[in-house]
Amino acid sequence: MDVKNILGGLPNFSFPLQEKNSSEVCALTGGFAPLMPAVDLSLLKKKPPSDKKVIWRWLPFKNSARKDDLQLHHWIQVVNGVPPTGDYSFAKYNKSVDITRYTDEEYEKYLANPKWTKEETDQLFDLCERFNLRFIVIADRFPSSRTVEELKDRYYSVSRAMLIARNPSSTDVAMDPLVQEPYNVSQEMERKRAQSLILSQTKQQERRDEEVLAEAKRIAELRIMTKVDLESELDVASKACANVTERANPGETVSPSNTELPPIVVSSMTSTDNASTIASLRMLYVYSRTYALGQMVQSASSSAGLRTIKRVDQTLQELGVNLKPRVPTKTVCAEHLELRNEILTLLNLQKQLQNKEVEGSSFRDGSHCETTGTPKRLHRGGDQDLTFVPDNTSSGGERIGKRDQKRKSLNKFCMLSLGGNRNGVAICGALLIGIVNLVLSSSELNYWQF
Amino acid sequence: MSQSQTLPLKRHQDENPRDDDSSDIKPSRLKISLPSEDSDKKILIKRVKDVGICVPIVYGTIAFFLGRKASESQSHKWTVYVRGASNEDLSAVVKRVVFQLHPSFNNPTRVVESPPFEISECGWGEFEIAITLFFHSDACEKQLDLYHHLKLYPEDESGPQNTKRPVVIESYNEVVFPEPSEAFLARVQNHPAVVVPRLPDGLNLPSPVPVEPMNDKERGDTKDHPLNHWFLNFSEADELLKLAAARQQVQAHIVKLGRQLTLMEGLPQSKQPSG
């Protein structure tokens, strides 16, 4: 069928099908089992024999919620000739609030209030009882005009006073919310006013509020972004400087000028930081040398991450240098800063070397798999077939070991693709590789220990 | 208000042709500034750019255990002080020093108006003392805050404390005035307590006006201070040596790694996979 072709063959699963033409049902549901079990029509037609005989009758009923004698009728199920017993099912929902009423003596003793007459208070309480503390209705029905807050206030303060008066020493009373959280008229009025303000805001006002909030958010984000940009710019600048040092000596093996470049490059990058720090220090009119040093160190390490800063400190300690000079004179501080910068350069170089090595190994793991790359892997005196035996003897660190394992596992792919390429390149590279390996194996140990 | 234009480089250029540019040197070197601190006087203060002067100071505490005379609340007698790093008189620069002691002391704010700038007290507890230096008005209107933790008990807790051997903690620091006023510079340029770099040629300073004269009886320096044999020596030579050695080591490593990197770059490589 068409669907079968489109789906590339129907999946094999079994589900109980009551229909005989299963393939058509499958086609209808797109090859999958239907979500709802199909209703068996045969089942629908049969009705189980029930032992209950239910008829509906129009009968009168009693409602305990009603206080009068009104007799009402309703349709009700009669099962097997027995009408339902028990109270009207909705009577249980007729709940009311317990309102404690005061006696006259109590009123005179505790509850007298200049703003409220006894009569009014009585009326209030009657209404409260009648309307179950629905104050909006009570306020509406109250004979003299009083606000909802006033009514609430009077009612709650009276109830509170009564509660305390009747149970002066009870601790339960103290926990009662009436006692613990008395009704606060002014707060309530303020709250309702604020609420109505918000509700009554015109669309214009709403739009303006939203605009202001969005603007504030944008400004905050911009600030964060410029901060991040500054940091990333510095990162880019440092990478650019590092790239410059590499390209400066493309094919030379040993060059003393190499030493000059990295420190100069780093210092040119940090000179802008320094200049701004110096300017800000000048604004102070007077400062202490240690403070100035702290500021310069901070600005120099602003582009570096926390881990780098820690590594710089660690290196300083290893070199036996105080993190904060004991005699911070001008020259000492200058030297200290220079040392820090040089350490940063060193760490950068280390990182670059690491990256290069990782890159080198990843090249080989891919389908190209040229023999060039870090020479360690090639050096075996021209025995090309054994180039992939991992060179564990000269490796000093864990990292190389892991890379060897990776190489082992991907041997197959590499061997296939190398073919003729390897021969030509390996021959011309053998000499150079020999020299390089010598140099590397001696300096490698230092490199990894540092 | 401030005409800050030139970079230090220009100064080197100016030094050579003296005759013609002597008139030009002044504007580039002097900065007329109206900082907020001078606004009360509404006088323009001429400041000298690129001549930062510094005053090396040492501040710290010396604490003696009182031994037999010690009581619960007064077990040590200690002195907190600020002195010139080579025991020179600081009063030419420092007008007064305020020591803020622990609030449990009577009148914890102690003001010392004349040298020697120190406070001696008896107590039992260690706390941080805030030392604030106030300078003469021609030097700087702003104060400088330093902090020092008073130490009474020695590092090694071996046995009872010796009344003869105090616990001495000193810190070296330098007070730097990056752009001193002409008047201040004129006054202190030959003072032993102040380190003034080589002044550029052609700088005309006004004749110095002495500040409030000190007591004639007392000298302001601490060369004959009773405690001066406990003062520590701060020599930058050791530190410089260590720093130079460290720098050499790091530079050597940089060379090595640089070589490694270029070697890795230099080897013929395949076409790099994209990504």
Side-chain angles (χ1 to χ4, degrees):
Chain A
M1 310 280 293
D2 302 17
V3 176
K4 275 192 201 162
N5 293 341
I6 294 167
L7 288 175
L10 292 171
N12 298 344
F13 50 81
S14 59
F15 48 89
L17 271 184
Q18 284 145 7
E19 303 295 329
K20 286 172 192 172
N21 346 2
S22 56
S23 62
E24 271 151 24
V25 171
C26 279
L28 275 176
T29 57
F32 302 107
L35 290 174
M36 290 283 292
V39 178
D40 200 2
L41 287 174
S42 54
L43 291 172
L44 280 179
K45 286 170 187 160
K46 298 179 204 161
K47 257 194 198 159
S50 80
D51 43 353
K52 294 194 196 152
K53 191 175 145 200
V54 176
I55 51 173
W56 287 88
R57 297 215 29 214
W58 177 255
L59 290 177
F61 66 94
K62 269 225 191 78
N63 185 354
S64 60
R66 289 201 79 93
K67 303 282 187 305
D68 49 16
D69 301 330
L70 184 60
Q71 185 68 269
L72 294 173
H73 303 249
H74 65 187
W75 286 104
I76 192 88
Q77 269 195 342
V78 175
V79 183
N80 291 344
V82 179
T85 51
D87 197 10
Y88 181 52
S89 59
F90 296 104
K92 62 179 181 275
Y93 299 115
N94 186 38
K95 296 227 186 274
S96 62
V97 184
D98 286 327
I99 298 184
T100 43
R101 302 301 298 255
Y102 47 80
T103 63
D104 290 339
E105 302 110 51
E106 279 182 326
Y107 187 86
E108 254 133 67
K109 260 208 246 172
Y110 310 110
L111 312 171
N113 189 304
K115 292 193 211 149
W116 284 78
T117 62
K118 186 164 187 308
E119 204 189 314
E120 277 197 309
T121 318
D122 289 343
Q123 282 175 333
L124 171 64
F125 267 73
D126 286 334
L127 284 174
C128 285
E129 239 187 273
R130 192 169 148 207
F131 291 114
N132 279 331
L133 290 188
R134 294 196 176 99
F135 280 99
I136 303 210
V137 179
I138 293 168
D140 189 55
R141 301 268 172 142
F142 203 70
S144 51
S145 65
R146 292 259 189 185
T147 63
V148 173
E149 287 83 31
E150 282 177 26
L151 297 171
K152 276 193 185 177
D153 184 33
R154 181 63 178 152
Y155 170 76
Y156 287 122
S157 48
V158 164
S159 309
R160 188 166 187 265
M162 274 206 293
L163 195 63
I164 295 174
R166 286 185 189 178
N167 313 295
S169 56
S170 161
T171 47
D172 296 335
V173 162
M175 300 307 288
D176 191 306
L178 251 186
V179 174
Q180 288 211 317
E181 285 154 40
Y183 183 74
N184 188 337
V185 187
S186 50
Q187 195 183 46
E188 282 294 296
M189 290 181 60
E190 187 53 42
R191 178 182 70 85
K192 287 185 182 171
R193 190 187 69 85
Q195 204 170 29
S196 66
L197 266 181
I198 294 179
L199 272 176
S200 59
Q201 259 189 344
T202 61
K203 268 202 180 162
Q204 264 194 349
Q205 278 177 314
E206 271 187 41
R207 251 184 266 137
R208 260 187 244 141
D209 282 347
E210 278 180 36
E211 278 172 33
V212 167
L213 282 171
E215 192 63 42
K217 203 177 170 193
R218 236 183 292 143
I219 292 173
E221 277 175 23
L222 262 176
R223 275 202 206 134
I224 296 173
M225 270 190 349
T226 48
K227 246 198 207 175
V228 171
D229 278 347
L230 265 175
E231 286 172 27
S232 65
E233 258 179 35
L234 285 169
D235 272 352
V236 168
S238 66
K239 279 185 198 151
C241 297
N243 287 340
V244 165
T245 59
E246 289 173 38
R247 282 193 228 108
N249 296 301
E252 294 175 67
T253 47
V254 179
S255 133
S257 64
N258 217 358
T259 56
E260 291 167 50
L261 259 177
I264 292 175
V265 163
V266 172
S267 61
S268 73
M269 184 191 79
T270 55
S271 66
T272 44
D273 291 331
N274 279 358
S276 60
T277 327
I278 292 172
S280 65
L281 285 172
R282 215 185 299 146
M283 294 291 137
L284 293 177
Y285 295 108
V286 72
Y287 55 85
S288 70
R289 188 72 70 192
T290 47
Y291 173 75
L293 180 63
Q295 292 295 101
M296 309 276 264
V297 168
Q298 225 182 21
S299 72
S301 44
S302 60
S303 56
L306 193 58
R307 226 200 300 173
T308 326
I309 297 171
K310 277 193 190 162
R311 286 175 70 191
V312 172
D313 285 350
Q314 220 180 348
T315 319
L316 280 171
Q317 280 175 332
E318 283 168 17
L319 291 165
V321 170
N322 297 325
L323 289 181
K324 289 193 181 165
R326 187 174 163 261
V327 189
T329 66
K330 196 169 175 182
T331 21
V332 167
C333 290
E335 285 287 305
H336 188 93
L337 273 172
E338 288 298 313
L339 178 60
R340 274 187 184 255
N341 283 340
E342 282 165 10
I343 292 177
L344 271 173
T345 319
L346 181 63
L347 292 176
N348 269 339
L349 274 178
Q350 279 182 0
K351 210 171 164 188
Q352 276 176 49
L353 261 178
Q354 276 179 32
N355 291 344
K356 284 288 160 199
E357 301 212 348
V358 170
E359 266 179 37
S361 69
S362 69
F363 288 166
R364 245 165 297 103
D365 295 345
S367 55
H368 283 269
C369 275
E370 277 293 334
T371 48
T372 53
T374 41
K376 280 191 292 296
R377 289 151 188 93
L378 294 183
H379 157 71
R380 266 308 167 229
D383 192 348
Q384 291 133 31
D385 291 329
L386 294 175
T387 38
F388 279 90
V389 172
D391 191 2
N392 280 319
T393 51
S394 64
S395 65
E398 295 170 5
R399 291 194 190 89
I400 302 183
K402 283 184 192 162
R403 244 183 289 115
D404 287 342
Q405 287 181 346
K406 218 174 162 187
R407 257 187 286 125
K408 272 189 210 168
S409 63
L410 292 165
N411 252 346
K412 289 182 202 167
F413 301 118
C414 291
M415 292 290 264
L416 288 171
S417 56
L418 280 181
N421 275 345
R422 240 199 303 156
N423 298 332
V425 179
I427 289 169
C428 64
L431 267 177
L432 180 62
I433 287 152
I435 299 169
V436 160
N437 203 49
L438 277 172
V439 172
L440 278 178
S441 55
S442 60
S443 62
E444 214 179 67
L445 290 170
N446 293 342
Y447 166 55
W448 288 113
Q449 276 170 17
F450 196 72
Chain B
M1 281 317 135
S2 55
Q3 310 160 14
S4 43
Q5 326 135 333
T6 52
L7 300 169
L9 277 175
K10 195 176 178 194
R11 191 173 9 143
H12 297 307
Q13 293 171 21
D14 284 345
E15 276 177 9
N16 295 331
R18 270 184 242 176
D19 306 320
D20 299 335
D21 296 0
S22 55
S23 53
D24 293 348
I25 291 176
K26 248 204 174 155
S28 67
R29 239 181 273 304
L30 293 181
K31 183 174 91 165
I32 315 290
S33 65
L34 244 188
S36 54
E37 58 178 54
D38 304 325
S39 59
D40 321 330
K41 301 181 195 160
K42 297 216 188 333
I43 302 169
L44 293 172
I45 291 192
K46 290 199 201 153
R47 294 191 170 271
V48 185
K49 260 189 66 164
D50 304 330
V51 179
I53 69 177
C54 82
V55 183
I57 59 170
V58 173
Y59 58 94
T61 50
I62 296 183
F64 287 90
F65 180 56
L66 288 174
R68 284 185 298 122
K69 300 184 203 162
S71 66
E72 272 296 313
S73 59
Q74 316 240 327
S75 59
H76 289 74
K77 178 166 158 55
W78 51 267
T79 309
V80 59
Y81 56 88
V82 182
R83 63 176 174 92
S86 33
N87 292 320
E88 302 294 348
D89 179 14
L90 287 179
S91 58
V93 180
V94 175
K95 184 161 67 170
R96 69 171 180 278
V97 180
V98 175
F99 297 92
Q100 185 69 32
L101 307 179
H102 192 267
S104 57
F105 283 91
N106 277 336
N107 302 324
T109 313
R110 306 284 172 92
V111 182
V112 184
E113 303 271 356
S114 62
F117 298 107
E118 63 184 40
I119 294 288
S120 294
E121 261 293 349
C122 291
W124 57 269
E126 301 183 337
F127 57 92
E128 190 177 69
I129 306 176
I131 306 172
T132 311
L133 304 177
F134 291 87
F135 306 100
H136 290 294
S137 35
D138 64 348
C140 183
E141 297 279 314
K142 288 215 182 140
Q143 67 199 51
L144 185 65
D145 298 311
L146 303 164
Y147 299 92
H148 182 85
H149 184 82
L150 167 69
K151 226 166 133 27
L152 302 176
Y153 303 96
E155 283 295 326
D156 54 337
E157 301 162 28
S158 51
Q161 272 194 277
N162 188 352
T163 54
K164 298 272 167 41
R165 189 159 281 281
V167 177
V168 182
I169 308 284
E170 284 192 327
S171 309
Y172 175 95
N173 212 327
E174 297 187 339
V175 180
V176 182
F177 299 93
E179 280 180 353
S181 65
E182 278 191 328
F184 180 47
L185 188 56
R187 187 161 62 78
V188 299
Q189 62 176 316
N190 291 320
H191 195 285
V194 182
V195 176
V196 181
R198 181 164 166 230
L199 294 179
D201 306 323
L203 186 62
N204 291 342
L205 293 174
S207 45
V209 177
V211 286
E212 307 100 39
M214 240 180 23
N215 307 347
D216 300 294
K217 323 178 209 173
E218 294 160 21
R219 283 161 42 195
D221 62 44
T222 43
K223 298 204 168 120
D224 287 335
H225 195 277
L227 293 171
N228 74 352
H229 51 283
W230 296 116
F231 292 165
L232 301 175
N233 253 331
F234 290 92
S235 128
E236 61 172 358
D238 293 331
E239 200 116 28
L240 279 177
L241 268 174
K242 242 192 261 176
L243 282 172
R247 281 190 73 183
Q248 257 194 344
Q249 248 190 303
V250 174
Q251 281 164 8
H253 274 293
I254 289 176
V255 169
K256 260 189 229 160
L257 291 192
R259 271 192 228 137
Q260 280 187 22
L261 211 53
T262 50
L263 284 168
M264 289 175 74
E265 292 286 303
L267 288 171
Q269 280 190 348
S270 64
K271 191 170 49 163
Q272 296 182 11
S274 61

